[in-house]
Amino acid sequence: MSASKAALKAAKGALDAHDYERAIENATKVLKEDPQSYHANVFLGLAFEKQSRNDESEKAYTAATAVKPNDPLAWQGLISLYEQQGARLLHRYHDVAVRLAHLFMHVDDKTRCQTVVDKYTDLARNSGSRSQYKQSLEMLLPGNDLYDYLQGRIPHPSHTYARLSEIVEQDEKERINHEIGQRRTRLGARIDQVTVEVKREVLQNSDLEALYQHVIDWTDDHETRRLYEERLLQHAYDTLVAIPVAQKASKREEVVRLARGLVILKHPFLLAWKISLEWHDVEGIEELDVGLLREYIEFFTEDGLAKVLKSYLGSEISVFPKQLSIAEDDENEDSKAPSLTAEDRLILMTDGVEDSPSSILARRIMGEYYLHLDEYESAAETARKGRRQAALEAKISGLPLQNIIDAIDLILGTALVQYQAPRHHPEANSLFEGVLARKPGNSSALVGIGLIFEEQEEFERAMGFLVRAERHTPSIRIRCEAAWCKALNGDYATGCSELEECLPSLSASDPRTKTLKAQTLYRIGMCMWNLDDSKASRRDRNKAYARFISSLQADMNFAPSYTSLGIYYTDYAKDNGRARKCFQKAFELSSSEVVAAERLAQSFAKTSEWDLVEIVAQRVVESGKLRPPPGSKRKGISWPFAALGVVQLTNQDYPNSIVSFQSALRISPKDYYSWVGLGESYQYSGRYIAATKAFEQAQQLEQELGAEVLGDTWFSKYMLANVKRELGEYDAAIVGYEEVLALRRKEYGVSIASLQTLIESAWHNLELGFFGRAIESVQKALNVAKDLSEWCKDAFNLWKSVGDLCSVYTYIQSYIDKFPFQDIYSLLKDDFDLESYNLLAEFDDMGWAAFEASATGDSAASVLECCSSAAILAQKRAVSCCAHDPYAGAVAWYNLGWAEHRAHVCQYGEVSPRTPASLRYLKASVQCFKRAIELEAGNSDFWNALGIVTTQLNPRVAQHSFVRSLYINDKNAGTWTNLGIFYLFEGDVQLANDAFTRAQSVDPDHAQAWLGQGLLAAQLGETAEARNLFTHAFEISNASATQILRSYAFSMLDHLLSSPGAFKDNASLLQPLLALRQLSKLSVSDLLSSHIRSLFQERTGDQENVSQGLMSVCSALEAEYEMSESNETLARFAQAKADLSRSLLAEGNFDNAVDNAETALDLSADDDQTNTARDKTRLSAYLSAGLARYYQGSMDRSIEMFKGALGATQEDPDIICLLSQVLWAKEGDAERSIARDQLFQCIEKHPGHVGTTLLLSAIAVLDDDRDTIDAVFDDLQQLRSRDDLSPQQHQQLGQLLNAIATLYPGDKDQSSARMSDAATTVMLRPSQPYGWTQMAGLTDDTRPAETALLIAVRKAPPRGELSAGDLSEAFAGTRKGYDAQRSIMLAPWMSSGWKTLSKV
């Protein structure tokens, strides 16, 4: 024990000497001997602490406190240790400090106890977290034994609670922000929802309210108490907003209690006052405490609700008494602020509502004030916002606020009854019914429903509701309305008397009843007006008129009285000036005065003041009084929409006019004129199908309503005809115009439209190729023109149409003989200065005298010239008719230019000789187009036309014109094509190609562009490409494009001559034949095209038309040769004669064939020049003559012709074959010997020639010449394997071999030899029917015959070239009755079908 004491003493000495290692050694020795040594542990802990060995030091101190818990020394050591480590071990510091403070409290050492507490709180405040600082402050709160012991030495509880509340406030704020920031990033999270959830979680578990209450309870400072009462209320309100509805009740009671407390104390905290006012669920504003309202105004002068309340309390609608002045002396009276004017009051209230958008009370008061001012739109808007805010406030507070919502619904419903009535009546009715379901006696709702029924003309039901309303709330206003309903129901006498009874109760000086008195007087006047509808009664100024005047004296702004006065002045006083002023005043005051608006619109329309009509109609539309509510008896009002449609139609605003007329028709489906206007709008906007339906509906209404109701209805027929015209249904359009003209013969617009439609129909039929229909149309147009000229001779469109109908004849020259010269002559001559026709005569030499001279000839060319001249004169007269109209004049000159150009083309062709006489029309057309450009330089078509006519005259001007036209409009495919043709003429291939390509890109269906590119390809030698382009141009072009028809037909002829195999059947010749037929109708003077058409017809077997066509060509060429004596014409004449001879030969007209062939030979005999065309002509003539002579039986002459053919062809083997056949047919031994010699010589010169080989073989068989047969048999077998033989040659070869096998079977019997030959034929040509047919004839098996038939059907046109005879034989070979019938039907001239049928 003594050693331990010595060691303790040594440890103490070492500590004093700051020898901490030795102190640790000595203390450790003591603890080894006595682990419960208190001082050893303390010394050890202190030594460790000095060496900053904190963990070992804490362990030693803790061991010491365990030995002596009530000894403060070890606890003080721990505190010292923790203080040195700052905030790291502050949580342990708390426990030790509390323990040590209690030890000092038990020994009644307040100073040391306070020191411990102060050090701990200071350290927690300076180094610890907010939660640690909060924990340190909680030691000092009431209820803690340390607070009781140290009371007076530590801070007052109010300060402590205040610090704690600040800490909790910061913690909650940070927690809310942190949680929102984390949760908002979650998938599908919404910021508003996340915010509510986080606030709910934090605020529901918050201790702030308790802390605020403690501060309030403990503080002695009045301002601090009020401050924390505000905070307490705000926090409670925020919590109420966040918590679910089911938990709101108790919290709401707390919020209301706190708010009322602050209001009672008259503390100016805005939230408390607003809760007290806004949450006070009263039916009427009069239930609110006016003193509270005035205090609110006093406390919160700049608040929005205060502004509204201040204005309301001083207004005429306030339910509270005016505040009396408290001034007792003059100074106070003088200092009293001036009262607000009505305008200032409205501005102040409006500003207040804007400053306080969440105030229900402000919007409720504002809505009532708007109703008082009859500002129903603003009242409805304000009430809607108030209703939304009330619903939000009810959700926040958990209170139903039903009375407030009902009051706002009544304001909204009352406004909707009047605003744009009756548009919103269904909504207003539902609002009123909702209020009545809760409050059956609510007079405002009853009156509202009554007014709705009154507007719907349900007067009995309206009176019922008004009577109920008056029973619950007696009111002079309700009595007046009920009396008026009786009057509207037809009982004018009773209604008038009851309204008279109400008058004494009304005063014009009272602003509340001023308008009601004016309304009552007006209604009395209307009762008098309707009680006696005689003119005398209504004119009487002492009756209704006097009441209307009295109504305006009571209220100068009462609009209906102005309307009635306007009707009085218009219909009875005949004072239109006053009437118009009255209507204007009525409509200015109220857009609901529909009658006044209609009268105004009509008066403005009569003076064409369309802008004013639009303003009036648009305002009526915006009033909302046009459409009746669903189920209402009241008819809708459609005229404002119709008026808007007319104005928009006049202003060419077609999309909006369509909408307007559609709106009018939705209201009045049987409005005839709206249907017409809608159809017209559709037409002008390009929607022709819809326009047709609209006009058809209008015509259906014509039949239903009759002319007595609608009056004159021809306009719809006229417009429908216009639509049909735009759709290209010209026949229907013409019928429509004729119907109108039957009713109104001298209607200029209809007559001109009919005339132009007939001309357009003619051009349309011309494009489609219906040339006869086109001529019929122009003949009808001429009749219309003659009728029109009787009473309207100076119409530009008349003479333009006459010129066009004359031009149609120049395009369809096959009908030129039907040109009505006498009618045109009379039409052009009547009532006109003939000298005016000399316009441009210095260029075109065309005047009246020239026109008369052109009519003397009877030839087609003379008539064509007469047509062209008539067209020019008609267009000149059109120019004279529009001398004072530059725009029409420009078009007239343009039309005249094309007439001149057409005359040039008809007389001289597209490319004319450059002589003065041949260029006269072309020069005149240049002058016309120049004049048109001078009048309208911005028209691209004029420049394009100038470029066309100057292409030959002046290439520079032409190029400039085309470029200028494209500068104005570069989307014109025609101009690009013309520019390409110009470059083609000038030899610039690249630019021409670029221009044609651009034209095709602008309009791929522009056929002329493809024609131009085809001409370019032909010029470059690309024949196939050119042919494809010509074909495409022909397929997409119209039937009047002569150059396309000609180019296509000629290219197909070249293709036919160069590649005969490409035309396998006649179907491939139909299109070029059709093109040439159309071309012959358009241009009868085009002999080359007519000649080529005959050649195509010859290919198709149309021999009769071929002969007729070639005869016409020969006659024309003969006449042309007699005039020109040209060798070229002579050669063409000889060729035509040769072709005619061949055609007559095919017809069997051998005599004429011989005559024409010999004529062709004579005509071509004198030609010194040897060329291919001449040789072909002579060869054709020789062959035709030879064959004709052969069929005539004149063998010698035939042989001569064939010899001539041999000389012409240098002994062509085919000609030798023909000659040999003719010699053999003569049946003379010498001739037959010559035939054999000719064939042998031919086979030597042309070995392998099929015809020669076959003829020699046939002659050998006929002569029974076995040696020759043996010699040629091998050649025949070799021919079988050749692929260049035609099907006919294969058939002939097979028949010849079959005959040889039959006659000379050799080692086999005859049937076997024939079967072997047939099998060989089948093996070599299995896809041909001949071998199978031959085999079928040698066996009873039906399979070869069926195979032959199957192959023959597949080889028949259009899939093959098998003839009808061969197909007939295939059908006959099956030996079946129905196949035999088919065989006969296909080729009745074949005997095989008849034989088979006879054996069945």
Side-chain angles (χ1 to χ4, degrees):
M1 178 64 80
S2 60
S4 296
K5 288 182 179 181
L8 280 174
K9 188 175 181 180
K12 178 70 171 62
L15 288 173
D16 293 339
H18 303 292
D19 188 357
Y20 303 119
E21 286 295 334
R22 190 161 57 86
I24 292 171
E25 292 176 1
N26 292 318
T28 302
K29 290 180 182 178
V30 173
L31 290 173
K32 287 181 180 179
E33 294 179 4
D34 183 9
Q36 298 298 321
S37 175
Y38 176 76
H39 289 92
N41 280 308
V42 171
F43 292 158
L44 183 59
L46 181 60
F48 281 141
E49 179 185 353
K50 296 299 183 180
Q51 289 186 338
S52 299
R53 297 166 65 179
N54 297 329
D55 293 339
E56 295 170 293
S57 174
E58 182 181 10
K59 185 177 181 181
Y61 283 139
T62 302
T65 58
V67 176
K68 291 183 178 181
N70 296 324
D71 193 310
L73 183 60
W75 295 106
Q76 288 175 331
L78 283 173
I79 286 178
S80 176
L81 179 65
Y82 291 152
E83 283 179 351
Q84 293 177 12
Q85 299 184 54
R88 192 172 70 85
L89 298 176
L90 194 59
H91 59 287
R92 298 180 185 176
Y93 192 166
H94 169 77
D95 298 334
V96 174
V98 171
R99 178 68 176 174
L100 183 58
H102 279 86
L103 290 177
F104 288 139
M105 181 183 69
H106 290 315
V107 297
D108 196 21
D109 190 345
K110 292 184 177 182
T111 301
R112 297 177 69 185
C113 179
Q114 180 183 356
T115 302
V116 171
V117 171
D118 289 344
K119 283 185 177 182
Y120 170 53
T121 55
D122 290 342
L123 182 62
R125 181 177 65 252
N126 296 327
S127 302
S129 62
R130 278 197 296 269
S131 61
Q132 291 171 334
Y133 182 46
K134 175 185 173 184
Q135 188 179 28
S136 69
L137 292 177
E138 288 174 350
M139 295 171 52
L140 309 178
L141 295 177
N144 193 310
D145 50 1
L146 289 176
Y147 169 79
D148 297 333
Y149 179 67
L150 297 175
Q151 189 173 8
R153 289 176 171 266
I154 57 177
H156 192 271
S158 62
H159 294 87
T160 305
Y161 281 119
R163 299 292 81 74
L164 284 172
S165 67
E166 292 173 359
I167 293 172
V168 174
E169 283 177 1
Q170 292 179 354
D171 285 343
E172 289 184 357
K173 184 177 180 180
E174 289 183 0
R175 181 184 172 191
I176 289 172
N177 293 336
H178 179 264
E179 289 296 325
I180 291 176
Q182 279 192 332
R183 298 187 189 183
R184 68 182 297 180
T185 59
R186 295 176 182 174
L187 189 64
R190 298 198 309 271
I191 184 63
D192 54 345
Q193 183 179 1
V194 168
T195 302
V196 171
E197 291 176 355
V198 171
K199 285 187 176 181
R200 181 184 302 156
E201 293 174 5
V202 173
L203 296 179
Q204 274 187 310
N205 302 315
S206 174
D207 298 328
L208 264 180
E209 293 183 23
L211 294 174
Y212 290 150
Q213 189 62 52
H214 286 308
V215 174
I216 294 168
D217 293 341
W218 282 97
T219 186
D220 296 326
D221 184 66
H222 176 73
E223 293 183 0
T224 303
R225 184 178 290 109
R226 298 286 89 81
L227 174 63
Y228 279 90
E229 284 177 349
E230 292 176 4
R231 292 183 178 180
L232 176 60
L233 175 59
Q234 185 67 56
H235 192 277
Y237 178 78
D238 293 341
T239 306
L240 177 65
V241 172
I243 62 178
V245 177
Q247 304 174 14
K248 286 183 181 290
S250 59
K251 196 67 179 178
R252 182 181 63 250
E253 292 177 0
E254 178 185 351
V255 171
V256 172
R257 177 181 58 79
L258 293 172
R260 285 178 181 172
L262 289 174
V263 171
I264 291 172
L265 294 174
K266 293 183 174 51
H267 179 66
F269 182 52
L270 184 60
L271 178 61
W273 288 82
K274 284 205 169 184
I275 289 173
S276 297
L277 292 177
E278 304 283 359
W279 290 8
H280 195 182
D281 191 17
V282 295
E283 289 189 24
I285 296 177
E286 65 274 6
E287 298 179 26
L288 294 174
D289 184 356
V290 65
L292 193 65
L293 299 180
R294 291 194 172 105
E295 288 174 353
Y296 185 90
I297 296 171
E298 181 181 353
F299 287 140
F300 311 103
T301 306
E302 299 301 323
D303 180 66
L305 178 58
K307 295 178 182 178
V308 174
L309 290 173
K310 180 180 179 181
S311 300
Y312 171 74
L313 293 177
S315 69
E316 61 273 21
I317 68 167
S318 174
V319 296
F320 302 109
K322 297 293 186 293
Q323 187 174 13
L324 298 176
S325 175
I326 59 173
E328 297 179 355
D329 50 26
D330 295 340
E331 290 80 8
N332 288 336
E333 287 293 332
D334 294 338
S335 63
K336 186 172 64 174
S339 60
L340 293 173
T341 63
E343 293 78 7
D344 294 338
R345 186 179 298 115
L346 179 60
I347 293 173
L348 186 61
M349 293 180 78
T350 305
D351 292 343
V353 172
E354 291 177 356
D355 293 343
S356 184
S358 61
S359 174
I360 308 172
L361 182 58
R363 296 194 180 277
R364 180 176 177 182
I365 294 172
M366 192 75 237
E368 292 188 358
Y369 194 69
Y370 277 137
L371 288 180
H372 168 70
L373 298 176
D374 293 339
E375 293 289 340
Y376 300 113
E377 181 180 3
S378 300
E381 182 181 359
T382 302
R384 289 188 193 278
K385 292 180 180 178
R387 202 172 192 276
R388 288 194 293 268
Q389 190 59 40
L392 179 62
E393 203 65 38
K395 182 179 179 181
I396 290 173
S397 64
L399 291 169
L401 301 180
Q402 193 59 60
N403 290 329
I404 294 176
I405 293 175
D406 287 345
I408 296 176
D409 284 348
L410 290 174
I411 294 172
L412 178 58
T414 304
L416 293 178
V417 169
Q418 303 296 333
Y419 173 55
Q420 293 186 343
R423 177 186 295 178
H424 304 291
H425 281 184
E427 181 183 358
N429 189 65
S430 65
L431 292 172
F432 291 139
E433 288 180 350
V435 174
L436 289 176
R438 293 181 291 273
K439 301 169 184 176
N442 189 284
S443 60
S444 298
L446 291 170
V447 171
I449 294 179
L451 292 176
I452 291 174
F453 282 126
E454 179 183 332
E455 182 70 24
Q456 296 176 359
E457 299 182 3
E458 297 276 355
F459 302 118
E460 291 287 347
R461 300 178 68 180
M463 284 188 289
F465 279 94
L466 292 172
V467 169
R468 284 175 57 190
E470 188 181 9
R471 188 183 306 126
H472 286 90
T473 307
S475 169
I476 189 66
R477 188 180 298 274
I478 301 176
R479 285 177 58 197
C480 291
E481 201 64 44
W484 178 239
C485 283
K486 289 182 180 179
L488 293 176
N489 200 34
D491 190 358
Y492 293 108
T494 305
C496 184
S497 62
E498 291 183 3
L499 288 170
E500 294 277 7
E501 293 174 0
C502 295
L503 271 180
S505 303
L506 302 174
S507 173
S509 60
D510 187 353
R512 296 187 179 186
T513 61
K514 178 179 68 172
T515 303
L516 181 59
K517 183 173 183 178
Q519 184 185 61
T520 305
L521 287 167
Y522 160 75
R523 289 176 172 179
I524 293 172
M526 290 302 299
C527 290
M528 293 179 175
W529 185 273
N530 291 303
L531 275 172
D532 188 356
D533 58 356
S534 64
K535 286 188 177 181
S537 175
R538 290 188 173 181
R539 254 185 220 157
D540 191 349
R541 290 179 174 261
N542 295 321
K543 291 187 176 180
Y545 174 82
R547 297 302 187 276
F548 297 147
I549 294 297
S550 299
S551 172
L552 293 177
Q553 289 172 351
D555 185 359
M556 292 296 294
N557 294 325
F558 190 70
S561 296
Y562 286 107
T563 301
S564 299
L565 282 176
I567 295 173
Y568 171 83
Y569 287 127
T570 302
D571 298 341
Y572 299 98
K574 303 302 180 184
D575 189 345
N576 293 327
R578 286 189 176 183
R580 187 164 183 173
K581 291 179 180 178
C582 289
F583 290 137
Q584 286 179 338
K585 184 65 175 178
F587 193 60
E588 287 174 5
L589 291 172
S590 174
S591 60
S592 299
E593 291 302 306
V594 181
V595 176
E598 185 175 9
R599 297 287 186 112
L600 270 180
Q602 290 173 352
S603 65
F604 290 144
K606 289 177 181 178
T607 57
S608 299
E609 298 178 77
W610 298 113
D611 292 341
L612 297 178
V613 173
E614 182 179 15
I615 292 171
V616 171
Q618 187 63 44
R619 191 176 175 203
V620 176
V621 169
E622 292 172 355
S623 70
K625 296 184 71 66
L626 304 184
R627 293 184 176 89
S632 173
K633 293 181 179 179
R634 188 176 69 85
K635 294 182 178 180
I637 302 171
S638 62
W639 71 261
F641 287 112
L644 276 178
V646 171
V647 174
Q648 290 157 353
L649 190 59
T650 304
N651 295 333
Q652 300 181 0
D653 186 5
Y654 304 124
N656 286 328
S657 69
I658 291 172
V659 174
S660 297
F661 284 123
Q662 286 176 339
S663 300
L665 290 169
R666 290 190 188 100
I667 298 173
S668 301
K670 293 187 178 298
D671 185 354
Y672 169 79
Y673 295 102
S674 292
W675 280 111
V676 174
L678 179 61
E680 193 172 357
S681 300
Y682 277 136
Q683 177 191 352
Y684 291 140
S685 60
R687 299 168 63 179
Y688 300 117
I689 301 300
T692 302
K693 294 179 180 178
F695 286 127
E696 289 175 349
Q697 183 66 32
Q699 292 186 348
Q700 184 177 351
L701 288 176
E702 291 176 11
Q703 299 175 358
E704 294 178 3
L705 301 178
E708 297 80 6
V709 177
L710 299 177
D712 206 352
T713 58
W714 65 270
F715 186 71
S716 64
K717 295 183 177 64
Y718 168 66
M719 293 303 297
L720 181 58
N722 287 341
V723 173
K724 296 293 185 182
R725 174 184 173 185
E726 295 291 345
L727 289 172
E729 300 177 14
Y730 298 109
D731 294 338
I734 292 167
V735 171
Y737 291 133
E738 290 174 349
E739 291 178 357
V740 177
L741 289 174
L743 301 173
R744 302 174 69 90
R745 178 176 174 273
K746 292 188 177 182
E747 188 66 43
Y748 170 75
V750 181
S751 298
I752 287 296
S754 177
L755 178 60
Q756 290 177 331
T757 304
L758 286 166
I759 297 300
E760 290 174 8
S761 176
W763 290 119
H764 181 66
N765 288 320
L766 174 60
E767 291 176 354
L768 295 178
F770 301 139
F771 304 130
R773 293 183 185 179
I775 296 301
E776 291 177 2
S777 295
V778 297
Q779 289 173 348
K780 292 180 181 179
L782 179 59
N783 294 330
V784 176
K786 289 164 59 179
D787 181 66
L788 184 60
S789 65
E790 293 178 2
W791 51 275
C792 185
K793 297 182 180 297
D794 296 330
F796 158 72
N797 287 320
L798 166 63
W799 300 109
K800 187 261 183 188
S801 299
V802 171
D804 287 345
L805 72 86
C806 293
S807 296
V808 170
Y809 283 98
T810 68
Y811 282 94
I812 312 175
Q813 297 177 11
S814 57
Y815 290 88
I816 199 69
D817 56 327
K818 295 185 178 181
F819 177 67
F821 171 75
Q822 290 299 329
D823 292 333
I824 297 296
Y825 180 86
S826 301
L827 197 61
L828 292 173
K829 185 177 181 180
D830 290 345
D831 295 336
F832 189 69
D833 182 10
L834 300 181
E835 292 298 324
S836 298
Y837 286 129
N838 292 327
L839 181 68
L840 297 181
E842 66 273 18
F843 294 100
D844 60 6
D845 293 332
M846 177 52 62
W848 184 254
F851 173 63
E852 290 181 329
S854 66
T856 57
D858 295 331
S859 64
S862 299
V863 179
L864 180 61
E865 184 181 359
C866 183
C867 291
S868 302
S869 302
I872 292 173
L873 294 185
Q875 298 296 354
K876 286 184 178 181
R877 189 160 180 177
V879 170
S880 67
C881 291
C882 53
H884 303 291
D885 186 348
Y887 295 104
V891 176
W893 282 105
Y894 175 73
N895 294 333
L896 177 57
W898 280 122
E900 298 275 7
H901 181 264
R902 182 60 188 169
H904 169 78
V905 172
C906 291
Q907 190 163 355
Y908 302 107
E910 296 286 349
V911 181
S912 62
R914 298 179 63 86
T915 62
S918 64
L919 297 176
R920 56 194 180 102
Y921 291 121
L922 205 59
K923 291 180 178 179
S925 66
V926 170
Q927 297 302 316
C928 293
F929 292 135
K930 285 183 177 180
R931 181 61 176 156
I933 291 171
E934 289 175 2
L935 294 173
E936 189 179 347
N939 193 310
S940 62
D941 292 335
F942 296 173
W943 287 101
N944 179 44
L946 181 61
I948 292 173
V949 298
T950 56
T951 298
Q952 296 182 52
L953 299 177
N954 193 331
R956 291 186 178 182
V957 173
Q959 184 179 23
H960 170 74
S961 300
F962 289 134
V963 172
R964 183 65 180 174
S965 177
L966 291 172
Y967 174 77
I968 298 172
N969 178 18
D970 63 347
K971 301 298 182 182
N972 191 326
T975 307
W976 282 108
T977 302
N978 294 332
L979 181 61
I981 295 294
F982 170 79
Y983 286 135
L984 194 59
F985 281 152
E986 297 300 317
D988 195 329
V989 175
Q990 183 59 46
L991 288 178
N993 182 67
D994 294 342
F996 291 138
T997 304
R998 181 65 181 272
Q1000 292 163 6
S1001 65
V1002 171
D1003 183 5
D1005 293 331
H1006 188 66
Q1008 305 296 335
W1010 298 97
L1011 170 66
Q1013 202 149 33
L1015 295 174
L1016 179 61
Q1019 182 174 331
L1020 296 175
E1022 299 176 1
T1023 308
E1025 178 68 16
R1027 183 176 63 255
N1028 292 333
L1029 292 169
F1030 291 146
T1031 303
H1032 180 67
F1034 170 73
E1035 290 172 350
I1036 65 176
S1037 69
N1038 57 57
S1040 62
T1042 56
Q1043 186 59 46
I1044 294 178
L1045 297 174
R1046 187 178 294 111
S1047 299
Y1048 168 69
F1050 289 3
S1051 67
M1052 295 303 291
L1053 177 64
D1054 293 340
H1055 185 45
L1056 175 63
L1057 297 176
S1058 61
S1059 303
F1063 294 83
K1064 296 182 179 180
D1065 52 27
N1066 291 338
S1068 58
L1069 301 174
L1070 292 180
Q1071 278 194 326
L1073 189 58
L1074 175 62
L1076 289 166
R1077 180 181 177 277
Q1078 291 174 336
L1079 191 59
S1080 66
K1081 295 288 186 181
L1082 295 171
S1083 180
V1084 295
S1085 61
D1086 190 351
L1087 299 178
L1088 180 59
S1089 299
S1090 298
H1091 193 168
I1092 294 175
R1093 177 166 67 95
S1094 299
L1095 296 179
F1096 274 104
Q1097 287 175 334
E1098 184 181 11
R1099 291 270 182 167
T1100 61
D1102 188 7
Q1103 299 300 333
E1104 183 177 357
N1105 288 327
V1106 172
S1107 299
Q1108 292 177 359
L1110 288 174
M1111 287 178 185
S1112 300
V1113 171
C1114 289
S1115 299
L1117 287 173
E1118 185 176 6
E1120 183 180 342
Y1121 177 72
E1122 289 176 355
M1123 294 179 62
S1124 64
E1125 295 185 357
S1126 169
N1127 290 333
E1128 181 182 354
T1129 305
L1130 182 62
R1132 289 170 58 195
F1133 181 40
Q1135 184 179 0
K1137 282 292 187 179
D1139 293 338
L1140 178 59
S1141 173
R1142 186 173 62 252
S1143 175
L1144 293 172
L1145 174 64
E1147 286 185 18
N1149 191 349
F1150 305 123
D1151 295 338
N1152 288 332
V1154 170
D1155 292 341
N1156 283 282
E1158 291 177 349
T1159 301
L1161 290 172
D1162 292 340
L1163 292 174
S1164 59
D1166 296 336
D1167 192 352
D1168 296 335
Q1169 297 179 357
T1170 301
N1171 55 54
T1172 304
R1174 173 182 175 278
D1175 293 342
K1176 289 183 177 180
T1177 300
R1178 293 184 64 80
L1179 175 61
S1180 176
Y1182 276 127
L1183 292 175
S1184 298
L1187 290 172
R1189 292 294 186 184
Y1190 169 76
Y1191 287 115
Q1192 284 180 333
S1194 180
M1195 298 300 177
D1196 295 335
R1197 299 293 299 276
S1198 176
I1199 292 171
E1200 291 179 6
M1201 291 299 172
F1202 283 124
K1203 287 181 177 179
L1206 282 175
T1209 59
Q1210 288 78 39
E1211 298 185 354
D1212 184 271
D1214 292 329
I1215 303 300
I1216 293 174
C1217 290
L1218 286 173
L1219 177 60
S1220 300
Q1221 289 175 352
V1222 172
L1223 289 171
W1224 188 269
K1226 195 173 181 183
E1227 297 182 353
D1229 293 338
E1231 287 81 359
R1232 291 187 175 184
S1233 177
I1234 294 172
R1236 291 190 194 94
D1237 294 340
Q1238 289 287 339
L1239 290 173
F1240 279 118
Q1241 292 176 9
C1242 181
I1243 201 67
E1244 290 177 0
K1245 295 179 180 179
H1246 305 283
H1249 186 261
V1250 178
T1252 305
T1253 304
L1254 291 176
L1255 281 176
L1256 281 174
S1257 301
I1259 291 173
V1261 171
L1262 292 174
D1263 289 344
D1264 195 18
D1265 186 354
R1266 292 179 177 269
D1267 295 335
T1268 304
I1269 292 173
D1270 293 339
V1272 299
F1273 186 77
D1274 293 336
D1275 294 336
L1276 293 176
Q1277 293 295 340
Q1278 291 178 1
L1279 287 177
R1280 277 186 166 183
S1281 59
R1282 286 175 56 175
D1283 295 330
D1284 58 343
L1285 270 66
S1286 67
Q1288 289 78 11
Q1289 289 175 329
H1290 276 296
Q1291 185 178 8
Q1292 293 171 0
L1293 180 60
Q1295 292 173 351
L1296 183 59
L1297 288 172
N1298 186 32
I1300 293 174
T1302 303
L1303 296 173
Y1304 310 103
D1307 297 337
K1308 302 177 183 178
D1309 59 18
Q1310 190 180 64
S1311 60
S1312 300
R1314 294 177 64 189
M1315 180 61 73
S1316 175
D1317 183 71
T1320 303
T1321 304
V1322 169
M1323 181 188 68
L1324 292 174
R1325 292 289 184 271
S1327 61
Q1328 297 296 332
Y1330 313 118
W1332 295 101
T1333 302
Q1334 181 181 350
M1335 184 179 292
L1338 300 175
T1339 179
D1340 294 333
D1341 192 348
T1342 60
R1343 288 176 293 181
E1346 292 174 354
T1347 304
L1349 178 59
L1350 180 63
I1351 294 173
V1353 170
R1354 291 179 178 177
K1355 291 293 183 179
R1359 289 177 289 181
E1361 300 178 4
L1362 193 69
S1363 66
D1366 294 335
L1367 183 60
S1368 174
E1369 287 188 3
F1371 272 107
T1374 62
R1375 305 186 185 96
K1376 297 177 181 178
Y1378 54 85
D1379 283 340
Q1381 291 175 343
R1382 292 176 181 174
S1383 173
I1384 294 170
M1385 181 192 69
L1386 287 169
W1389 61 87
M1390 299 291 293
S1391 61
S1392 55
W1394 296 102
K1395 290 179 181 179
T1396 301
L1397 185 63
S1398 65
K1399 296 178 182 179
V1400 174

